[in-house]
Each structure stands twice: as C-alpha cells, then as structure tokens.
Amino acid sequence: MRRLLLIGVGAGDPDHVTVQAVGALNAFDVLFVVVKDTGTQELVELRRQIVERHRTAGAYRTVELDDPPRPWRQATDYPEAVERWRAARVAQWERALGEHLDDDATGAFLVWGDPSLYESTLAVVQEIAARGEVAFAYEVIPGVSSVHALTARHRIALNRVGRAVQITPARLLSEGMPADVDDVVVMLDAHATFATIPPAGIDIYWGAYLGTPDELLRSGPLAGTAAEIVRVRDEARARKGWLFDTYLLRRR
Ligand SMILES: C[S@@+](CC[C@H](N)C(=O)[O-])C[C@H]1O[C@@H](n2cnc3c(N)ncnc32)[C@H](O)[C@@H]1O
C-alpha cells in the first residue's frame, strides 16, 4: 500500500531535525512540495537544504503542487471562499497522490516545525484519506516547533509551575491578554498585535526567523520594548520580503 510521511523538520535550524525525521527523510521515493504564491521561496530552499544535509539514500522524485491562490479576506463570503480553497487543495493533492505515487511507494511532505501546530497539511491528508478515492497509510513524525525554538533561545520555561499556557493566532489577541491566562504564545501575527494591547505588567519574549542565520531576538517589559520590536520587524520584513515571528506574552 502507498505510504505517506508527514515529516516535522523543525522551524528553521537543520540541527533541530530529529533522528526519527532523518530516518523518514531517507525513506521516501517522492517528495511533494507545496509552492505558494507569497514570498516563501526561501522556505522552499531551506527545506531543500534540510533534505540535502540529512539524506544519504539515493535519488528521489520531486512533485510540485502549485497552491491555489488564497482567498482574500475581503471576499464577499470569506468562509465560503476558504471552503472552496480547501476543496481545491484536497482535489489537487489527491490527484497528485494517485498519479505520482506507485502502489508500493512512499511519499513525503516536509512540514515546518511540528505537523500538529497551526498546519493544514495533516488536515488535508486526513480529508483525502477519509474520501477513500486513493488508498494510502500515513504517519506523522513530530518536529521541534517554533514555540520550543523560541523558549530555548530565550532560555525560559514555556509554563510557570502549575499554570496554564495558551497558544493563539494573533487575531484572537486584538482585545488584549485573556483575563484568565497569564502566559500566551502568539503566532501568525501579520500586524505586530503586541504593540496594540495595554502593556502594563506584561513582559514579551519575541523571536523572528528562529533557528536561521537571520534570527532576531528581543525581550523585556512590553511597554519599553514594543516600539523597538516593531522597528526591527519592519526593517527585517522590508529587507527579506517576508517575516515569521512568534512571541510569548507573560503577565508579571
Ligand atoms: C503556519 S504556522 C506553522 C507553525 C509550525 N508548524 C510550528 O510548529 O512552528 C506559521 C507560524 O509559525 C511561526 N513560525 C514558524 N517558523 C518560525 C520561525 N523560524 N521563527 C519564528 N516564528 C516561526 C510564526 O508565528 C508563523 O506565523
């Protein structure tokens, strides 16, 4: 039966690739690469370097999947537009698995960070499996997430003793820190949301391009640090054309 590996490869540092992931990187015949319309060519290149560094097995085939254009937030019916986009992705990947993966072959997707954290790859693969048009087994290989790269680089614990931690997309932070959680990790922030919330009594631990040569780190009281982080991230985005950042907001 066809086999599909979803390999968590860490969030940028090739040293964060686990021994299990190295095994998986040497086990596939076909690598599926999702090509997006935004400035993520550098991420495609980083993934290529990870394979080059860790694969000693022979040649493999690469199949590129041109990601359907993402629906604009301004779409008249945004949820419906997202649903159409998801369906197009499922159909495209399903076709590719059927066409490019022989019955006894192993395919792989390299998934940024950990496949279980704010990643659609697993959901798309599960949907294809549930449809039953193409028969395959799939495995998930965990990876070091950007959250753990962040806490390691700042040399801090993610949680405080006996306390809860919340991981959230930035859009849910627009009203400020949740009342009942004192440690919040924020991801997927296109708008420096940390600079828009009431800063009193909050520390920030911020990291961008974690694990890569462009890594940026800042930390301190939010009130005194937010403006500097906004400046640094604006400069970095202008220079590189894209930005990935993650941060922990910690109530003192
Ligand atoms: C689609 S999510 C993927 C998360 C990934 N699965 C993980 O485990 O980290 C993309 C978000 O992850 C975070 N991220 C991923 N890689 C990062 C990195 N190297 N440095 C900082 N943040 C990163 C950013 O918040 C970015 O907006």
Side-chain angles (χ1 to χ4, degrees):
M1 156 122 66
R2 291 180 189 92
R3 198 161 70 111
L4 193 57
L5 306 174
L6 275 53
I7 311 174
V9 292
D13 186 340
D15 281 350
H16 287 176
V17 174
T18 67
V19 174
Q20 187 185 14
V22 171
L25 288 168
N26 280 283
F28 62 75
D29 309 296
V30 181
L31 180 63
F32 294 96
V33 177
V34 179
V35 182
K36 298 187 179 165
D37 56 352
T38 48
T40 47
Q41 195 47 42
E42 199 174 334
L43 294 177
V44 172
E45 174 57 20
L46 283 167
R47 285 185 176 88
R48 196 194 59 73
Q49 286 172 14
I50 286 171
V51 179
E52 199 164 283
R53 159 121 177 239
H54 294 290
R55 184 169 167 112
T56 48
Y60 61 92
R61 218 147 52 81
T62 301
V63 173
E64 290 196 349
L65 302 168
D66 286 323
D67 217 20
R70 277 162 201 262
W72 297 107
R73 286 228 164 258
Q74 296 84 343
T76 40
D77 188 341
Y78 184 70
E80 197 201 45
V82 170
E83 205 32 63
R84 272 203 309 276
W85 174 79
R86 275 182 59 87
R89 243 188 168 194
V90 166
Q92 182 199 36
W93 292 22
E94 183 179 79
R95 218 170 28 248
L97 290 183
E99 277 175 20
H100 298 287
L101 208 55
D102 293 341
D103 275 351
D104 55 351
T106 299
F109 284 89
L110 305 190
V111 187
W112 201 246
D114 181 82
S116 72
L117 188 63
Y118 292 119
E119 278 296 339
S120 51
T121 312
L122 180 55
V124 175
V125 167
Q126 283 171 332
E127 201 168 326
I128 298 169
R131 283 160 57 93
E133 297 287 324
V134 183
F136 64 98
Y138 63 94
E139 289 167 41
V140 177
I141 289 99
V144 175
S145 74
S146 53
V147 177
H148 294 98
L150 177 79
T151 53
R153 293 297 286 130
H154 280 290
R155 299 181 298 175
I156 54 169
L158 179 56
N159 65 290
R160 282 178 285 174
V161 179
R163 308 265 285 274
V165 178
Q166 190 172 94
I167 302 179
T168 180
R171 70 187 169 78
L172 298 183
L173 193 75
S174 53
E175 305 293 305
M177 287 277 281
D180 51 349
V181 187
D182 293 332
D183 295 278
V184 178
V185 177
V186 184
M187 303 178 71
L188 297 161
D189 192 350
H191 304 294
T193 308
F194 56 83
T196 67
I197 64 171
I202 296 171
D203 288 329
I204 184 168
Y205 297 87
W206 176 84
Y209 315 108
L210 290 156
T212 75
D214 294 307
E215 181 177 90
L216 296 166
L217 297 171
R218 292 289 186 281
S219 64
L222 185 57
T225 322
E228 152 81 354
I229 298 176
V230 170
R231 187 186 60 73
V232 167
R233 87 198 279 288
D234 284 352
E235 263 176 30
R237 195 202 291 276
R239 180 166 37 88
K240 287 178 64 67
W242 64 281
L243 180 116
F244 258 4
D245 66 345
T246 301
Y247 50 93
L248 170 67
L249 297 174
R250 172 156 284 169
R251 210 177 257 123
R252 253 169 265 137

